[in-house]
């Protein structure tokens, strides 16, 4: 299987290392100006780049019907719509985080939020290295969307002033510093008790392994927008 890497920064290079360990997969494109410059056939595009490169990915994938794995975060509303439209033409996985633990946490949130939302205040905290550009992180936003899907609570991005906390409110807080790979914690704060779910990423390899696994899953799938839950749990159920 031939893989093209859009984005050859830290994540792209780690994905290349993971792919190079597999005899059946090869990186045929990296550190290029355009996917259209690659002469070899591309079986899957893995994107860890910048939202500014989305149009190029959409153009190439639409023309060649190439499956895509998109790990870039920070897309605008209109760009998210373009990704949805692309998924009607090609099989596509988009995730803010490709590691197993985060996927499990997100699934757990779907299960517990209906039981906790009425009597617990909800807060999200995320910490990342000092070079990260977007805040809140894409993973924190994913958790927020999962929690707030049926609640439609007000979202408070940090707090300032003397405004009392609204019961129907979710707080989200971003910390930046040092070389922290990624840490996310969701708090459910009730009367005399606190429940928290925490995930720490100790290296970026876990994201690369997940993206590689996603690429194996998405090739030869029907057109559509898939998630890491599809990759992990459907695969598990078929074992």
């Amino acid at each position: 299987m031939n893989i093209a890497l859009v984005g050859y920064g830290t994540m792209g290079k780690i994905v290349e290392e993971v792919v190079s360990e597999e005899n059946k997969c090869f990186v045929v494109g990296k550190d290029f100006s355009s996917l259209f410059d690659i002469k070899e056939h591309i079986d899957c595009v893995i994107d860890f780049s910048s939202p500014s490169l989305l149009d190029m990915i959409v153009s190439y994938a639409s023309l060649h019907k190439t499956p895509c794995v998109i790990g870039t975060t920070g897309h605008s509303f209109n760009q998210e719509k373009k990704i949805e439209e692309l998924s009607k033409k090609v099989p596509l996985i988009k995730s803010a985080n490709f590691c197993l633990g985060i996927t499990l946490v997100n699934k757990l949130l779907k299960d517990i939020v209906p039981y906790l939302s009425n009597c617990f205040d909800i807060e999200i905290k995320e910490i990342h290295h000092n070079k990260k550009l977007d805040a809140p992180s894409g993973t924190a936003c994913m958790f927020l969307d999962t929690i707030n899907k049926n609640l439609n609570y007000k979202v408070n991005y940090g707090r300032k002033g003397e405004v009392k906390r609204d019961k129907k409110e979710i707080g989200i807080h971003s910390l930046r510093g040092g070389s922290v790979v990624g840490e996310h914690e969701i708090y459910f704060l009730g009367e005399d008790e606190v429940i928290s779910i925490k995930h720490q990423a100790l290296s970026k390899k876990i994201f690369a392994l997940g993206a590689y696994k996603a690429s194996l899953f998405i090739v030869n799938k029907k057109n559509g927008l898939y998630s890491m839950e599809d990759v992990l749990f459907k695969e598990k159920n078929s074992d």
Side-chain angles (χ1 to χ4, degrees):
M1 185 171 81
N2 290 341
I3 295 173
L5 301 176
V6 180
Y8 197 58
T10 301
M11 273 305 305
K13 291 173 182 175
I14 298 174
V15 172
E16 182 182 29
E17 290 176 9
V18 170
V19 172
S20 68
E21 296 171 359
E22 302 293 329
N23 294 329
K24 58 185 177 180
C25 296
F26 306 92
V27 172
V28 296
K30 61 183 184 182
D31 201 20
F32 47 78
S33 298
S34 171
L35 286 165
F36 291 95
D37 296 335
I38 300 172
K39 304 305 180 184
E40 295 89 347
H41 171 74
I42 299 173
D43 293 297
C44 185
V45 171
I46 297 180
D47 170 38
F48 283 102
S49 61
S50 161
S52 63
L53 297 180
L54 179 64
D55 285 345
M56 180 264 290
I57 295 170
V58 170
S59 296
Y60 183 91
S62 297
L63 179 64
H64 295 280
K65 307 303 178 186
T66 308
C68 295
V69 174
I70 298 181
T72 298
T73 59
H75 291 107
S76 68
F77 176 81
N78 287 335
Q79 287 177 319
E80 293 286 355
K81 290 297 182 183
K82 288 183 179 180
I83 292 171
E84 289 181 17
E85 287 301 312
L86 178 60
S87 71
K88 297 176 182 178
K89 303 174 183 177
V90 304
L92 185 152
I93 292 178
K94 184 182 187 301
S95 180
N97 196 306
F98 284 90
C99 77
L100 170 62
I102 288 292
T103 306
L104 289 171
V105 169
N106 199 52
K107 188 173 187 299
L108 180 60
L109 289 174
K110 293 178 182 179
D111 293 338
I112 67 174
V113 166
Y115 299 101
L116 299 179
S117 57
N118 288 334
C119 49
F120 286 79
D121 297 321
I122 305 171
E123 299 281 311
I124 302 170
K125 180 187 72 176
E126 55 97 352
I127 308 174
H128 282 84
H129 54 86
N130 55 23
K131 295 182 175 61
K132 185 169 179 61
L133 299 178
D134 55 324
S137 69
T139 302
C141 291
M142 178 178 70
F143 289 155
L144 175 64
D145 290 343
T146 296
I147 294 167
N148 209 23
K149 183 176 182 179
N150 296 314
L151 298 179
N152 296 315
Y153 282 4
K154 171 187 173 183
V155 180
N156 193 330
Y157 295 92
R159 288 194 174 79
K160 184 178 180 181
E162 299 181 358
V163 180
K164 184 179 178 181
R165 189 190 198 284
D166 191 330
K167 180 64 180 176
K168 293 187 175 182
E169 170 184 308
I170 299 173
I172 187 165
H173 313 277
S174 300
L175 284 71
R176 296 288 177 268
S179 58
V180 179
V181 175
E183 180 179 309
H184 295 84
E185 190 161 11
I186 305 99
Y187 297 86
F188 296 89
L189 304 111
E191 190 69 29
D192 299 325
E193 60 179 331
V194 175
I195 301 169
S196 68
I197 304 172
K198 182 177 181 179
H199 179 275
Q200 288 180 288
L202 303 181
S203 81
K204 292 186 176 182
K205 188 173 183 179
I206 57 174
F207 310 130
L209 285 168
Y212 170 66
K213 194 168 188 175
S215 70
L216 296 178
F217 171 87
I218 201 68
V219 172
N220 298 324
K221 287 291 184 294
K222 294 180 180 179
N223 297 347
L225 186 60
Y226 298 82
S227 71
M228 280 304 289
E229 288 191 21
D230 294 318
V231 176
L232 296 173
F233 302 125
K234 286 187 179 181
E235 179 181 89
K236 183 67 176 176
N237 291 337
S238 66
D239 288 345

